[in-house]
């Protein structure tokens, strides 16, 4: 019980649809835009607070009202779930 945990220990079948493949997660580390956002000390403090929080869900709801946190979340989503090409307006 005190050994290392795996993703399978915390995900149920219902959560499986929310799972992001490791290949896509690696794209986060390659994003210059995301790296730029993470240079912001306020954002880093928000992420640290979420990581250390007991009730992550309610803190996430609160932080989703913070424009900087929303910008971070949107950036992450654009990387792991790029918009469909047909939904992009031509320039």
């Amino acid at each position: 019980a005190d050994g290392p945990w795996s993703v399978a220990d915390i995900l149920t079948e219902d959560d499986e649809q929310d799972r992001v493949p490791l290949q896509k997660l690696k794209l986060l580390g390659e994003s210059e835009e995301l790296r730029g956002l993470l240079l912001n000390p306020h954002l880093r403090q928000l992420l640290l607070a979420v990581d250390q929080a007991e009730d992550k869900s309610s803190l996430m709801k609160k932080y989703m009202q913070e424009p900087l946190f929303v910008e971070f979340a949107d950036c992450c989503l654009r990387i792991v779930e790029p918009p469909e090409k047909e939904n992009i307006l031509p320039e």
Side-chain angles (χ1 to χ4, degrees), residues 32-44 47 68:
E32 290 298 322
E33 180 185 7
L34 187 56
R35 285 183 189 186
L37 287 173
L38 290 171
L39 291 174
N40 185 310
H42 180 59
L43 177 60
R44 293 169 72 107
L47 293 172
L68 178 61

Side-chain angles (χ1 to χ4, degrees), residues 21-84:
L22 186 58
Q23 179 182 358
K24 292 217 174 197
L25 288 177
K26 287 181 179 180
L27 295 175
L28 293 171
E30 299 168 5
S31 169
E32 290 298 322
E33 180 185 7
L34 187 56
R35 285 183 189 186
L37 287 173
L38 290 171
L39 291 174
N40 185 310
H42 180 59
L43 177 60
R44 293 169 72 107
Q45 190 60 43
L46 294 176
L47 293 172
L48 188 60
V50 169
D51 185 54
Q52 296 174 345
E54 288 289 323
D55 186 2
K56 294 179 187 338
S57 179
S58 68
L59 192 57
M60 287 287 290
K61 286 178 185 171
K62 175 184 172 188
Y63 285 174
M64 287 306 288
Q65 305 304 311
E66 293 258 353
L68 178 61
F69 193 84
V70 172
E71 182 180 4
F72 165 77
D74 287 346
C75 180
C76 291
L77 287 172
R78 280 193 308 272
I79 294 166
V80 298
E81 289 185 0
E84 298 289 329

